[in-house]
């Protein structure tokens, strides 16, 4: 049973990174060293460029591939699910407690397995386009109430038919730990005034999301069907879609969010693969009214991923939990999002990021 | 006088590509050959990789640069205005009728100067992010009337203060001549129905725009002031922002255009530089109310560029002119757009595309 598999690498109980996970990221082993792909296990990082140079990826798809000698995961992500499965199988074998190849080769092991706190994580992929969806019904109702006033018509009439999304800013997607500067911008005229104000945002907010990295893309003019969509998804990161609500409120009519969100979007440096998430597959919410045919899944599923937000204000020693939610509540699945995104012929590229939209309602940090 | 400068390369009277223009593009000299940068002159293309390998860029900034051996213009665009001026000076000298270096070296000349109809143009740059602005007052009023109904409140109250823009889809930007497939998508429920339709768009439209390529970018968190903005702009292309109005109308509330525009955006393969446009500098429209301080230009200017749209339906031998307009009518200048885009700290990268928005009102091809 996979759940009993153990690694010779120390993994403390409760670690997010047991041998069953093995998320992918990109890191520098030391300052000035070139970035290379790695997987996380326990409090360690496995340098895939070292394993690849040592000839340890012996499967048919990876033995002669240079994808682990790149400075991003794009080349690996472009290879598709069979290569991802091959890599996972190889890595789980190499890292398992019964396998001597790496465990007992102390020179190779010390080169390939590094303490996570000694490496520097960088962006895992070159993101071409970043799309943010709006797939939580509760969040859509909350936003409607905040931005358009009144709970009655808070949910736009298209919402139950269209997996609403918009193009986000790819350049300002950064990994956890990167400083985000409070944005300045225009905000609505104060009561009784005509001219807007220009000031640092006074309504900086966060949004808890998950985001999927696209693996193989599709050609312009060739939609991906909803039942093929899963094969185009490499894995997920957690995302904080920083939002300046006062800037957003003044600018967003008629063309949507722009500077209220483009000053920074934070993702986790580790991408959890679809394979690692398999044990957490569960039913997705029933849809009423039924989705249009191109969005109707033969096998409708989502993932049971509990999520939590805690905030620790500067100077405080303790973080306060302010939100508990679950990815499984999202009304539109990632397969529906991807099929919708391409149904008009829009092409996705490897490394594109599809964010879920806020999972449950926003909590303003006013 | 620059206007009297002539080239030994044939340039027919009325050509868009005299020696005073020299727009940049990327081309393959033959099928299978690697793409390389070029400039257009008359009906010819000058292969910059050949000139560079021959050591003809002797200036301090370009003599040891590999920017003309790349498959895109990004490396050259990243160098900034001094390098662009150096390249222009070198090329105008090499191509002028009185200069023997290239003119009289028949071997080099036949390698470096190719008939335009024998080469294949490709995308001139790798576009990171593409932003579409909404800077024509007439277009904003027209859109308000089409999508929100009624001319009274057609112009949103923020429009005269905010250079409104939104993130467009970078992956589907293609060059002139690339086939665009009519998109399928959801459209509003027919009268008396609740469910939307799903069908090929019946309201395919175009939008005539200009778009600026970003040269040197800016760091996340470091805005570019409006008076420094021009140094970040390499040059302009013409753009057709294909739009499916029926898809757009149903999807665009509340987060803006998405699938109604992401199925294809066409740009010209040649980028006209700011240096080439210098003789066409003119006053920009006066702004009332005055722009906020961060958008107030010490030296406010735009470009006098007449633009025309003609359509030739399939089977017709003649094209009909359906629109005449001018870039100079845009209310917000490209410097104001760039300053606004970065004022919240958003980072621009070399190769990012900033489109003007439709210049004057849309004409629907219903």
């Amino acid at each position: 049973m996979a759940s009993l598999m153990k690694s010779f690498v120390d993994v403390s109980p409760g670690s997010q990174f047991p041998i069953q996970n093995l998320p992918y990221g990109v890191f520098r082993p030391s300052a000035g060293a070139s970035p290379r792909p790695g997987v996380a296990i326990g409090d360690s990082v496995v340098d895939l460029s070292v394993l690849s140079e040592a000839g340890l990826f012996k499967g048919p798809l990876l033995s002669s591939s240079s994808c682990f000698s790149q400075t991003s995961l794009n080349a690996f992500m472009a290879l598709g699910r069979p290569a991802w499965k091959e890599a996972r199988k190889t890595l789980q074998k190499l890292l398992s407690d019964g396998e001597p190849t790496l465990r007992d080769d102390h020179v190779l092991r010390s080169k390939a397995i590094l303490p996570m706190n000694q490496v520097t994580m960088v962006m895992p992929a070159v993101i071409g386009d970043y799309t943010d969806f709006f797939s939580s019904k509760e969040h859509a109702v909350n936003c409607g109430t905040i931005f358009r006033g009144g709970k009655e018509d808070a949910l736009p009439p298209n919402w139950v038919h269209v997996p609403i999304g918009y193009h986000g800013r790819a350049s300002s997607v950064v990994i956890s730990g990167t400083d985000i500067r409070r944005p300045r911008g225009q905000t609505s005229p104060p009561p009784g005034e005509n001219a807007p104000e220009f000031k640092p945002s006074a309504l900086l907010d966060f949004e808890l999301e998950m985001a999927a990295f696209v693996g193989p893309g599709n050609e312009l003019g060739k939609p991906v069907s909803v039942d093929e969509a899963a094969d185009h998804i490499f894995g997920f990161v957690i995302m904080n879609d920083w939002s300046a609500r006062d800037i957003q409120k003044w600018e967003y009519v008629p063309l949507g969010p722009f500077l209220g969100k483009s000053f920074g979007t934070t993702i986790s440096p580790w991408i959890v693969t679809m394979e690692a998430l398999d044990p957490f597959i569960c039913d997705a919410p029933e849809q009423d009214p039924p989705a249009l045919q191109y969005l109707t899944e033969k096998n409708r599923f989502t993932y049971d991923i509990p999520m939590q937000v805690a905030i620790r204000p500067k100077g405080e020693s303790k973080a306060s939990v302010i939100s508990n939610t679950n990815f499984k509540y999202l009304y539109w699945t990632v397969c529906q999002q991807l099929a919708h995104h391409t149904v008009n012929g829009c092409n996705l590229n490897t490394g594109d990021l599809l964010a879920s939209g806020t999972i449950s309602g926003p909590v303003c940090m006013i």
Side-chain angles (χ1 to χ4, degrees), chain A:
Chain A
M1 272 171 68
S3 62
L4 292 179
M5 193 189 294
K6 283 204 173 149
S7 175
F8 61 85
V9 180
D10 272 347
V11 178
S12 55
S15 167
Q16 300 286 316
F17 301 141
I19 193 170
Q20 287 75 19
N21 191 348
L22 299 183
Y24 289 86
V26 174
F27 71 101
R28 294 180 197 272
S30 57
S34 152
R36 73 273 320 268
V39 294
I41 183 162
D43 296 323
S44 300
V45 176
V46 183
D47 186 331
L48 301 183
S49 75
V50 170
L51 299 190
S52 180
E53 278 159 35
L56 296 180
F57 289 99
K58 298 181 200 288
L61 300 171
L62 294 171
S63 60
S64 60
S65 168
S66 64
C67 66
F68 293 134
S69 311
Q70 310 293 319
T71 57
S72 77
L73 285 165
N74 291 58
F76 177 57
M77 299 196 305
L79 293 178
R81 177 133 296 123
W84 308 335
K85 282 182 184 288
E86 187 178 301
R88 179 172 172 84
K89 201 173 159 188
T90 300
L91 288 169
Q92 285 194 327
K93 180 155 187 242
L94 282 173
L95 293 167
S96 66
D97 54 3
E99 171 64 33
T101 312
L102 190 55
R103 186 192 64 197
D104 298 346
D105 184 336
H106 292 282
V107 174
L108 185 62
R109 181 171 162 173
S110 69
K111 231 179 115 186
I113 304 181
L114 307 168
M116 197 182 283
N117 62 14
Q118 286 176 25
V119 309
T120 306
M121 301 307 297
V122 300
M123 278 289 286
V126 178
I127 301 172
D129 282 285
Y130 149 48
T131 303
D132 196 12
F133 285 93
F134 190 54
S135 291
S136 158
K137 205 167 188 172
E138 297 75 13
H139 178 58
V141 169
N142 285 341
C143 284
T145 309
I146 291 173
F147 292 119
R148 290 179 297 286
K151 278 216 167 176
E152 301 282 305
D153 300 317
L155 200 66
N158 55 10
W159 197 91
V160 292
H161 302 286
V162 182
I164 297 279
Y166 69 99
H167 307 295
R169 179 79 195 173
S171 69
S172 51
V173 178
V174 296
I175 58 165
S176 300
T178 307
D179 283 343
I180 301 290
R181 187 173 286 201
R182 180 185 294 266
R184 299 178 304 164
Q186 291 193 34
T187 58
S188 303
E193 304 275 336
N194 283 322
E197 292 189 280
F198 179 77
K199 62 181 190 191
S201 171
L203 290 175
L204 195 59
D205 198 3
F206 68 92
E207 292 188 0
L208 173 64
E209 308 194 16
M210 298 271 289
F213 269 105
V214 172
N218 64 300
E219 269 177 61
L220 188 62
K222 305 272 171 94
V224 176
S225 77
V226 71
D227 292 319
E228 294 165 337
D231 282 341
H232 292 265
I233 297 166
F234 174 68
F236 283 99
V237 287
I238 305 178
M239 174 179 278
N240 179 350
D241 178 23
W242 296 100
S243 302
R245 298 294 176 208
D246 40 3
I247 296 173
Q248 185 182 352
K249 184 162 186 170
W250 172 237
E251 74 176 356
Y252 97 109
V253 172
L255 298 180
F258 186 50
L259 300 192
K261 285 172 177 279
S262 66
F263 58 94
T265 304
T266 302
I267 60 171
S268 56
W270 294 109
I271 308 174
V272 176
T273 65
M274 303 290 272
E275 285 71 33
L277 290 171
D278 265 353
F280 306 99
I281 284 180
C282 67
D283 288 339
E286 270 188 51
Q287 297 191 302
D288 179 26
L292 290 182
Q293 198 177 347
Y294 79 96
L295 294 172
T296 301
E297 301 155 294
K298 276 195 193 117
N299 173 25
R300 179 169 165 82
F301 66 92
T302 188
Y303 298 96
D304 182 354
I305 306 172
M307 303 180 76
Q308 189 174 76
V309 180
I311 293 185
R312 187 169 59 79
K314 204 173 174 178
E316 296 280 329
S317 60
K318 271 194 180 170
S320 306
V321 173
I322 56 169
S323 178
N324 278 294
T325 186
N326 195 304
F327 182 73
K328 72 182 176 186
Y329 300 142
L330 293 174
Y331 189 84
W332 297 106
T333 68
V334 67
C335 290
Q336 290 179 309
Q337 290 167 344
L338 194 144
H340 179 67
H341 205 317
T342 64
V343 76
N344 68 340
C346 179
N347 55 328
L348 302 181
N349 289 317
T350 299
D352 286 351
L353 197 62
L354 309 183
S356 62
T358 291
I359 304 168
S360 90
V363 180
C364 270
M365 297 194 293
I366 299 180

